[in-house]
Structures are given as structure tokens and as C-alpha cells.
Amino acid sequence: MTVRRSVVRGTGSYLPSRVLTNDELSTLVDTSNEWIVQRSGIRERHIAAEGEYTSDLATNAARAALDNAGIDAAEIDMVLLATATPDHTFPATAVMVQEQLGIAHGCAYDLQAVCSGFVFALSNADAMLRAGHARKALVIGAETFSRILDWQDRTTCVLFGDGAGAVVLEAVDGEGAADDRGVLSSRLRSDGRHLDKLYVDGGPSTTGTAGHLRMQGREVFRHAVGMVSDVIDGALTDAGVEADAIDWFVPHQANKRIIDATARKFGWPIEKVVVTVDKHGNTSAASIPLALDIANRDGRLQPGNLVMIEAMGGGFTWGAALLRW
Ligand code: ACO
């Protein structure tokens, strides 16, 4: 039976040039390189320059992905951008990216699921491609979390960074089997009973300001591994694939301890885990496509590999997707 699949044709990413190290952060708030590395695995993060916006980061990542795919922007008929830090309340940042790429056909819109945004966007784009609404899609995660951090709050400001990553997806007819290339399965979840554990204390309809990120870090940590394990299990079951068949685990890069505990649970050795949190910090929706691009360009991701991605974030939202590269 022919089944339409969304195949990754190319990847791209962009990081602002300014690097903020833990030692430099220690001069701004009462913290230390040792504390940050021990609790999170983060050593440095990138920070967007004044006048450099989420749309700029996203457009740079999208251009790199198109280049990597060898596909012209004119062939793209959908731009889906996951972000919690849009340039403006509206129009959607995706439409700004579409305009900067010179695309005036198809559709472009933003998707908001915070740190899980890229998994949600990939799953949504896959559904759109399979339903025939588009043929070639740009799926982007881009964030400027530095703009919503409270730089006096050491419990949050040390954990996040700015960046963008993108993939080009193309609808291709497969056999409907687990050895097809493309997105094989995805599971998405949310549960608003956890709204107060990770949120931003402002918004257009409430304070009229962008607000600042607030987090009960311990509570997030307590739920993270169980929640992502559940959707990983679901994505494996839906695709009829065993955990030990996974070639690469590309998790959301929030915290090295969460990554290690999840990988351990599924028996994936550290050599199969793509880790960028040390250099990028938590870039929210950008973290997975950034990590995919790095592993794609350095040759770790090879055609035919099974790749598991997962994320969890504010809401809570969480999700996982299984792809054959
Ligand atoms: N530097 C030094 N000390 C600090 C810092 C800091 N930056 N931040 C907090 N502390 C102190 C606290 O004040 C506390 O001191 P006290 O014992 O005197 O009260 C002590 O360190 C321990 O604080 P905890 O919050 O209990 O530290 P914990 O071991 O839980 O680590 C952390 C905190 C890193 C936030 C951890 O809970 C965590 O990783 N949580 C997950 C959060 C996360 O990943 N969020 C990302 C967004 S969601 C997502 O993407 C999955």
C-alpha cells in the first residue's frame, strides 16, 4: 500500500555570534561555572545582537537548510515556524521569514508549544504533507529567549540561549513500512494542570508586555523523564520499532541530566545521543533542529538511520517523533 511520507531533504541552523560563557554570567548574577555545569551541563550559550530578531535567526537557518537540500525557495509551499518568542504579537514570524525568502505562494504560520514546538511543528507539517496540502515544507524552530529572561534571576537566566534550526521536508510516496524514509510516527501531549510550573508572566491580553520566564525548576525536572519516556514508547509502538533499533537519539537540549536519564531508560549509550546543550544552553523550540543540523553536517546522521526526537516544555507540552533519515 502506498503511504505518503515526509522525508527530510536538508537541514540548516544559525547561532548569533555573541557567546556568553558561564564565567561571564557569574559576573552578572550570584552563580558559578561549577554550579551551572554540574546541574545542567551547560558551559556557554549564544545571545542575539541588538536589532537581531527571531525572524532573522529563522531566515538564516532556513536559507542554510534550502542550500543543504539543494532546493530553491520558490519550491517551498509551506513555512511552519515553532517559536515562543515571535518578533511581534502578529503577523506570524513565519510570514516574515516567507517574505524574506521571497516566497509569495502557499502558507506560512507560527506554532506555539514552547520547548516542544519543533516536535509539534514537525508532526503538524507531516500531517499537512500527507493530506496533500503542501509538497515541500520548511519546518523551523527559532527563539530569542534572551529577550524574555529575567537577568536578575539566577535560577532561570543561566539555562537558556538563542538560536534557530530548520529542516526541509518533502512529500514522497513510501510503502507504508518501517523501512520507508521520512516521519514514521509522532505522539503529542499537553496537560494544563502544570501551567504554573513554567510560564511567562506577561502577554498581549494580560499585561500588554512580553513578560519574563518563570520556572519551578525542580517540578519541571521531576516530571520530565517520565513524560518524554511515555511519548517515546508510543512513537516506537506506532511505528512497530524496538528501542534497540534506534541509531540516534536527538533530544530537546534543556539539561544534560534529563537527557542522560532518558537515554539510560531506553538503553541508548551516550555514543548514540546527540548533545549540544553544553554549547547552546536551552534554545527551546530551536534546540532539536539545531542538533539535527550539527549531526547531519558532521556525518553522524546517514540515510536510512532511525532517529528519535523528543521534547517537553511549558504547559506542560511534550512529544516525540520517529524518523528514518
Ligand atoms: N547558581 C548557584 N546557585 C543556584 C542557582 C545558580 N544559577 N540557581 C539556584 N541556585 C541555588 C538555589 O537557590 C538553591 O539554594 P538553597 O539550597 O540555598 O535554597 C540551590 O541552588 C538548589 O536549587 P534547586 O532549584 O533545588 O536546584 P536543582 O538541583 O533542582 O537544579 C535546575 C536546578 C538546574 C533548574 C534543575 O531543577 C533543572 O534542571 N530543572 C529542569 C528545568 C529545565 O530544564 N527547564 C527548561 C525548560 S523546560 C524544558 O525545556 C524541559
Side-chain angles (χ1 to χ4, degrees):
M1 183 184 59
T2 303
V3 170
R4 197 167 291 169
R5 299 288 195 191
S6 309
V7 175
V8 176
R9 288 295 185 217
T11 63
S13 60
Y14 175 80
L15 289 160
S17 56
R18 163 97 164 95
V19 174
L20 179 61
T21 63
N22 289 349
D23 282 337
E24 196 179 344
L25 256 178
S26 313
T27 66
L28 304 174
V29 285
D30 182 15
T31 190
S32 65
N33 179 51
E34 293 67 34
W35 192 95
I36 301 170
V37 171
Q38 198 225 337
R39 307 286 171 129
S40 71
I42 299 166
R43 295 179 184 278
E44 58 189 38
R45 72 285 294 142
H46 293 250
I47 303 291
E50 208 182 316
E52 191 175 38
Y53 305 128
T54 296
S55 61
D56 300 315
L57 275 52
T59 302
N60 284 327
R63 285 209 171 98
L66 288 168
D67 206 38
N68 183 246
I71 284 175
D72 196 83
E75 295 175 50
I76 297 294
D77 49 8
M78 180 166 76
V79 181
L80 189 40
L81 172 60
T83 188
T85 46
D87 288 20
H88 301 287
T89 303
F90 77 81
T93 304
V95 179
M96 299 178 182
V97 174
Q98 187 195 29
E99 193 270 334
Q100 288 190 46
L101 294 174
I103 306 170
H105 59 271
C107 65
Y109 54 97
D110 288 356
L111 187 149
Q112 221 288 46
V114 208
C115 296
S116 314
F118 182 78
V119 180
F120 276 56
L122 188 83
S123 175
N124 275 252
D126 176 46
M128 292 287 276
L129 293 188
R130 282 192 288 113
H133 294 297
R135 296 290 306 177
K136 287 179 189 161
L138 261 171
V139 185
I140 310 167
E143 303 278 17
T144 47
F145 259 51
S146 63
R147 307 262 154 78
I148 55 163
L149 293 175
D150 175 352
W151 287 98
Q152 320 277 314
D153 176 10
R154 69 176 183 171
T155 68
T156 54
C157 76
V158 302
L159 299 173
F160 296 89
D162 301 336
V167 302
V168 177
L169 287 184
E170 182 176 12
V172 171
D173 285 338
E175 303 292 324
D179 55 4
D180 283 352
R181 288 187 70 192
V183 178
L184 298 178
S185 61
S186 59
R187 286 273 182 115
L188 306 180
R189 290 277 290 114
S190 54
D191 183 347
R193 287 175 297 178
H194 302 285
L195 286 172
D196 63 339
K197 298 189 177 80
L198 178 54
Y199 65 100
V200 168
D201 62 4
S205 178
T206 50
T207 58
T209 62
H212 291 114
L213 182 148
R214 306 292 174 206
M215 179 173 71
Q216 300 173 32
R218 257 192 200 180
E219 282 298 302
V220 175
F221 197 93
R222 200 163 68 78
H223 286 89
V225 180
M227 284 177 162
V228 298
S229 298
D230 192 45
V231 283
I232 290 172
D233 265 332
L236 288 169
T237 304
D238 290 351
V241 166
E242 299 292 332
D244 61 9
I246 296 300
D247 296 295
W248 294 105
F249 178 43
V250 188
H252 170 47
Q253 309 284 322
N255 185 304
K256 184 69 165 48
R257 289 188 296 159
I258 297 174
I259 294 172
D260 288 346
T262 309
R264 238 188 342 264
K265 208 163 165 177
F266 288 92
W268 296 323
I270 196 66
E271 303 79 57
K272 288 188 170 191
V273 184
V274 177
V275 177
T276 57
V277 69
D278 52 333
K279 297 224 172 290
H280 301 171
N282 181 349
T283 58
S284 181
S287 89
I288 293 173
L290 259 162
L292 286 173
D293 185 48
I294 284 166
N296 186 33
R297 282 170 197 265
D298 69 18
R300 275 179 283 179
L301 301 184
Q302 289 295 321
N305 280 174
L306 272 176
V307 181
M308 178 65 77
I309 65 172
E310 58 79 2
M312 180 231 182
F316 291 144
T317 57
W318 64 106
L322 178 65
L323 301 92
R324 192 174 290 283
W325 205 250

